Amino acid sequence: MVCKKLCVPLLLSLLHCCTQGLESYDLLYDNGIEAYYRNDYQKVVYYMEMALSSYSQLRQTKISCRVGCRQRHSMDLAQNSWDLSFSNVVLSRAACVNECEESSLGPVSRHKVSEDIKSEFYRRIPYNYLQRAYFKLNQLDKAAEAAHTFFMANPEHMEMKQNLANYHFKSDDHLVDRERCAYMEDYHEGVRLYDTEQYTQAIEKMEEALKGYFRADAECRALCGGPQKFEDYEYVGYSASFYERLADHYIQILACEHECVRDLSTRPGRLSPIENFLPLHYDFLQFSYYRVGDHVKALECAKSYLLFHPDDADVSENVSFYESLLAEHMDPPKIQPRTDAAEFVRRHRLEAEILISAAGGLGFTYYEPDFWVTGGDRQDENRLPSGAQTELTDVTGMLTGKKAVQKVDRDLREGGPLLYDEVKLVYNSDYLNGTQRVQLDNVISEEECQELQGVANTITIAGDGYRGKTSPHTPNEKFEGATVLKALTFGYEGRVPMKSARLFYDVSEKARKIVQSYFMLNTTLFFSYTHLVCRTALLGQQDHRNDLSHPIHADNCLLDPEANECWKEAPAYTYRDYSALLYLNGDFDGGEFVFTEMDAKTITASVKPKCGRLVGFSSGGENPHGVRAVTNGQRCAVALWFTLDPMYRELERLQADEVIRTLDKESHGGGGGAQEMAINPRDEL
């Protein structure tokens, strides 16, 4: 009895201790999902809002604790006892961080979350559940806000686009992105003000954006202080000395901090960062300060930009120009780059040197990315305010360097002959609400469609063309593909009729000729890539589909919906000039091909696939497109990309041409034999 009386208070105190602190956001999220499938929308809202709050508080607590403890225990090391001083600082910081985090969060182990859950919060999936729950509860303003927040990171989400249209119709409130990034919003607002020649206001916004960027950089670096792992190391049985382990962990943290440049330049839901993001702040500021008459600050900003791009001839000429405008008593060399830029670049270069050196010494792989890539060959007529060029015609090198999309360097024409009597023009660019677009029917017959589907079901491989990824675009469909050369190889091996393999080749050539003729190209159109593709809806995974079979994209540039730009740079296939899709069937649900505006939201035309139907279009940012979800059945098509540059002709197509020449030679009694046909797909010409 005495033992029981003593144990109960002890257990209660332990229970009280364990229930203090922040609730784990992954458990709250799971509870919200369970409530959603019970149709308990009040609980959905409660748990999802709690999960989002917990996620945010966890992040902010880690940042404040790590930044505060670093400041409290700085690396002011005594030279005579360096090891002891260093160890004392490390131990003091560790104790400080643990005490700080546990006092707010409770046991840190409670907040270890799987990578899948972290990814869902990064992709803002909880807001999708929230918008539906708020809608069911008839709280349309909150539903619109949640939908907008989700959509900002998922601009290809067609269902959310429609939901937003419905909510906006019923509510006049301005939509707020609940996860908005303040420094990036300030930057884009600064660009807008710059474009409208409101330079004083543009300066205010750009300066705020820079302050916010450097705050975000400090926060990003603080979050790198957690557990790390080298992909190059196998940690099972890993044994190392104290200094080896210390070096391993430190270099991983340093690499994480170094990569913050990329993370802070990437908008939510995007894979590629904004090109040249941080340096562009100084580039916009240099001209803005010049326009308001502050030549000293213009010179400081121009010199700051040159820290990132020391070989930029245009900005170097700007520096000379600004120096010529200074008052006589001012000494131009004494006007230095801004301290924030100079310290940032100095630290960034030192980090790179350490990482490259450590890679050699510790035996891991590291490649220094070009964080400040500018694209080089694009000039920015859209960023130079109207009238500036005429005003400065006598001034050398006034502000070039910000970039825009390349302009098409050929005449855009269409309406040429279709070459084949059976081919029917259905819709041209005008009807499809765009430029260089066409829809044709009867390009191939029903019998040819069925024969090619048979070929597809025999030769296509899951994930072909996407490094073996069975579902490269959506987890709800299986993707399979095969090239022309593979079809001919299968025909030679007797695994499909050679006649059917030859049909794939001939049909793609027919499509090429039609596209070249219809768009009235005065040079030859070459194959860039040819792919027989099928997308199959996976059974049991079609309920509540709200994704796309293929997200909205452009074929030769990186689509930037938020900025209404399309950047013609790697990893985009910048050499592709025209694209076409020849459909083999229509007996499936969903799968419509859609054109959109550059915002990746506004659908301008929709095409329902059917046998023999071809959609052709130019491959640039004027024609963003995607594929709606295939929710039942299998959708097959011949996908074709073309180039006007013979340097980028499809290698496998050239090999296939050789196979066809051999076959034709044999059929006319010219000999040659099977040995000439046995072409290795990996052979280089």
Side-chain angles (χ1 to χ4, degrees):
M1 180 67 74
V2 173
C3 179
K4 184 176 180 181
K5 288 181 180 179
L6 290 173
C7 289
V8 168
L10 177 61
L11 290 173
L12 287 175
S13 65
L14 289 173
L15 181 61
H16 176 73
C17 174
C18 294
T19 54
Q20 295 304 299
L22 189 68
E23 291 189 68
S24 175
Y25 71 87
D26 59 336
L27 296 180
L28 292 166
Y29 180 53
D30 285 342
N31 289 339
I33 293 175
E34 290 178 6
Y36 179 82
Y37 287 109
R38 294 196 311 267
N39 298 325
D40 187 349
Y41 299 111
Q42 291 281 9
K43 286 292 180 63
V44 173
V45 168
Y46 173 78
Y47 283 118
M48 287 298 172
E49 292 287 13
M50 287 285 289
L52 288 166
S53 176
S54 176
Y55 175 77
S56 176
Q57 189 175 337
L58 175 67
R59 182 180 184 277
Q60 290 304 318
T61 298
K62 287 183 175 181
I63 289 170
S64 61
C65 287
R66 292 173 187 179
V67 170
C69 290
R70 173 175 289 188
Q71 293 172 348
R72 195 172 308 150
H73 303 283
S74 61
M75 287 286 183
D76 185 14
L77 307 179
Q79 292 183 354
N80 295 334
S81 55
W82 188 93
D83 286 359
L84 290 175
S85 299
F86 175 78
S87 300
N88 182 55
V89 171
V90 170
L91 293 171
S92 298
R93 282 188 187 178
C96 175
V97 169
N98 286 339
E99 181 181 359
C100 178
E101 290 187 358
E102 290 196 0
S103 65
S104 297
L105 305 176
V108 177
S109 59
R110 178 191 300 178
H111 300 286
K112 291 183 178 179
V113 177
S114 72
E115 292 300 319
D116 288 341
I117 297 297
K118 290 179 183 177
S119 174
E120 296 213 359
F121 275 73
Y122 176 77
R123 292 158 48 213
R124 304 187 181 182
I125 302 300
Y127 288 100
N128 193 358
Y129 289 101
L130 266 181
Q131 64 94 19
R132 297 183 186 188
Y134 278 127
F135 174 74
K136 292 291 187 179
L137 297 172
N138 201 33
Q139 299 181 43
L140 299 186
D141 291 345
K142 291 184 177 180
E145 188 175 77
H148 176 69
T149 301
F150 174 82
F151 192 70
M152 292 303 294
N154 300 271
E156 77 287 352
H157 200 292
M158 290 295 180
E159 180 185 344
M160 196 64 69
K161 174 184 177 297
Q162 186 58 52
N163 290 350
L164 273 170
N166 293 336
Y167 299 149
H168 189 65
F169 176 75
K170 298 172 183 177
S171 172
D172 294 329
D173 288 351
H174 174 68
L175 297 180
V176 174
D177 178 2
R178 289 176 51 178
E179 299 285 340
R180 61 191 178 277
C181 181
Y183 70 87
M184 200 165 280
E185 282 193 351
D186 286 337
Y187 169 80
H188 287 298
E189 178 62 13
V191 173
R192 186 192 68 78
L193 292 166
Y194 177 98
D195 285 341
T196 56
E197 303 183 39
Q198 301 179 66
Y199 298 112
T200 301
Q201 297 91 326
I203 289 170
E204 292 175 0
K205 282 297 178 182
M206 280 295 172
E207 293 289 9
E208 280 300 313
L210 274 175
K211 291 177 184 176
Y213 179 92
F214 290 122
R215 284 194 298 268
D217 179 68
E219 293 178 355
C220 177
R221 288 170 166 273
L223 291 173
C224 287
Q228 305 287 334
K229 180 178 179 181
F230 263 144
E231 293 181 0
D232 291 22
Y233 283 6
E234 175 54 62
Y235 273 86
V236 176
Y238 174 65
S239 177
S241 68
F242 168 73
Y243 284 110
E244 286 175 316
R245 287 181 181 271
L246 187 64
D248 283 349
H249 198 83
Y250 172 72
I251 290 300
Q252 293 172 78
I253 291 175
L254 188 64
C256 174
E257 293 178 344
H258 198 59
E259 283 284 326
C260 284
V261 172
R262 186 187 305 280
D263 294 341
L264 298 180
S265 303
T266 305
R267 287 186 295 276
R270 314 304 200 275
L271 297 177
S272 300
I274 299 173
E275 178 186 82
N276 204 28
F277 181 62
L278 179 56
L280 275 177
H281 288 70
Y282 299 102
D283 202 1
F284 280 112
L285 280 170
Q286 62 144 331
F287 191 78
S288 298
Y289 276 121
Y290 163 74
R291 296 292 285 185
V292 300
D294 194 334
H295 302 143
V296 172
K297 288 188 177 179
L299 181 56
E300 288 177 346
C301 291
K303 287 185 175 182
S304 299
Y305 185 88
L306 288 176
L307 293 175
F308 300 92
H309 300 293
D311 298 326
D312 192 307
D314 295 318
V315 179
S316 294
E317 291 175 355
N318 291 351
V319 166
S320 298
F321 173 69
Y322 297 143
E323 288 178 342
S324 71
L325 300 177
L326 295 178
E328 291 184 2
H329 67 277
M330 302 190 72
D331 185 8
K334 289 185 177 179
I335 299 176
Q336 294 295 309
R338 290 171 47 150
T339 303
D340 53 7
E343 291 181 352
F344 186 92
V345 172
R346 181 193 59 78
R347 183 188 65 191
H348 189 80
R349 288 176 179 167
L350 179 59
E351 288 173 349
E353 290 174 8
I354 294 173
L355 288 167
I356 293 169
S357 175
L362 298 178
F364 64 91
T365 303
Y366 178 77
Y367 300 101
E368 173 70 4
D370 187 351
F371 290 101
W372 319 123
V373 64
T374 62
D377 56 349
R378 292 180 318 228
Q379 297 303 315
D380 185 9
E381 64 275 13
N382 295 321
R383 289 287 179 259
L384 194 62
S386 60
Q389 287 183 330
T390 56
E391 179 183 340
L392 299 171
T393 51
D394 295 328
V395 178
T396 303
M398 263 315 304
L399 197 65
T400 59
K402 289 170 292 297
K403 317 300 179 188
V405 182
Q406 283 183 328
K407 302 303 180 185
V408 178
D409 57 359
R410 60 180 182 274
D411 293 333
L412 300 182
R413 299 179 295 171
E414 64 177 284
L418 299 178
L419 303 179
Y420 302 90
D421 292 339
E422 68 274 14
V423 177
K424 177 185 176 184
L425 173 63
V426 182
Y427 300 127
N428 61 13
S429 292
D430 290 339
Y431 189 90
L432 294 172
N433 301 311
T435 302
Q436 298 277 277
R437 301 175 179 179
V438 66
Q439 178 182 328
L440 307 171
D441 278 351
N442 304 331
V443 174
I444 57 176
S445 66
E446 287 284 351
E447 293 75 16
E448 289 171 324
C449 286
Q450 292 174 9
E451 189 171 354
L452 286 175
Q453 275 193 277
V455 172
N457 290 327
T458 303
I459 72 170
T460 53
I461 296 177
D464 183 72
Y466 290 91
R467 299 181 181 178
K469 294 182 180 179
T470 305
S471 303
H473 304 302
T474 169
N476 303 306
E477 298 174 19
K478 180 174 70 173
F479 178 95
E480 299 164 293
T483 62
V484 167
L485 184 62
K486 183 176 181 183
L488 292 173
T489 302
F490 270 48
Y492 168 66
E493 294 172 351
R495 298 162 72 177
V496 297
M498 180 56 80
K499 171 178 169 290
S500 300
R502 174 71 185 257
L503 177 63
F504 181 13
Y505 177 92
D506 291 339
V507 161
S508 58
E509 176 61 20
K510 182 178 183 180
R512 185 194 68 81
K513 290 179 179 178
I514 293 172
V515 171
Q516 177 178 300
S517 178
Y518 178 78
F519 288 115
M520 305 173 71
L521 303 176
N522 53 16
T523 58
T524 302
L525 198 61
F526 301 98
F527 287 97
S528 166
Y529 192 54
T530 313
H531 215 199
L532 179 58
V533 298
C534 293
R535 304 168 188 273
T536 306
L538 297 178
L539 296 176
Q541 292 186 213
Q542 301 307 312
D543 293 339
H544 309 293
R545 278 289 295 273
N546 51 29
D547 58 348
L548 294 179
S549 177
H550 197 141
I552 304 299
H553 64 285
D555 285 340
N556 73 8
C557 53
L558 302 176
L559 190 63
D560 186 346
E562 189 169 316
N564 277 322
E565 300 277 11
C566 202
W567 304 108
K568 205 165 185 181
E569 63 186 47
Y573 301 99
T574 57
Y575 48 81
R576 291 179 177 173
D577 295 297
Y578 283 88
S579 309
L581 293 155
L582 175 59
Y583 299 108
L584 305 183
N585 66 315
D587 55 341
F588 52 84
D589 295 334
E592 294 88 352
F593 176 92
V594 295
F595 286 113
T596 74
E597 298 284 6
M598 204 178 287
D599 62 5
K601 305 174 187 178
T602 308
I603 295 176
T604 55
S606 178
V607 178
K608 176 66 177 175
K610 75 170 189 176
C611 168
R613 176 163 288 170
L614 181 144
V615 178
F617 50 94
S618 56
S619 303
E622 68 277 4
N623 283 319
H625 57 279
V627 179
R628 284 194 170 114
V630 178
T631 56
N632 183 47
Q634 184 184 65
R635 175 191 191 269
C636 293
V638 177
L640 305 136
W641 292 271
F642 307 106
T643 179
L644 294 168
D645 189 342
M647 290 292 294
Y648 293 100
R649 287 179 293 179
E650 181 183 11
L651 176 60
E652 288 203 10
R653 187 75 191 196
L654 295 173
Q655 295 170 323
D657 291 342
E658 185 62 30
V659 173
I660 294 298
R661 280 193 291 270
T662 302
L663 290 172
D664 290 344
K665 187 176 180 181
E666 285 185 336
S667 67
H668 289 89
Q675 293 298 321
E676 293 186 49
M677 292 173 53
I679 295 176
N680 188 331
R682 293 182 175 82
D683 286 345
E684 293 186 359
L685 297 183

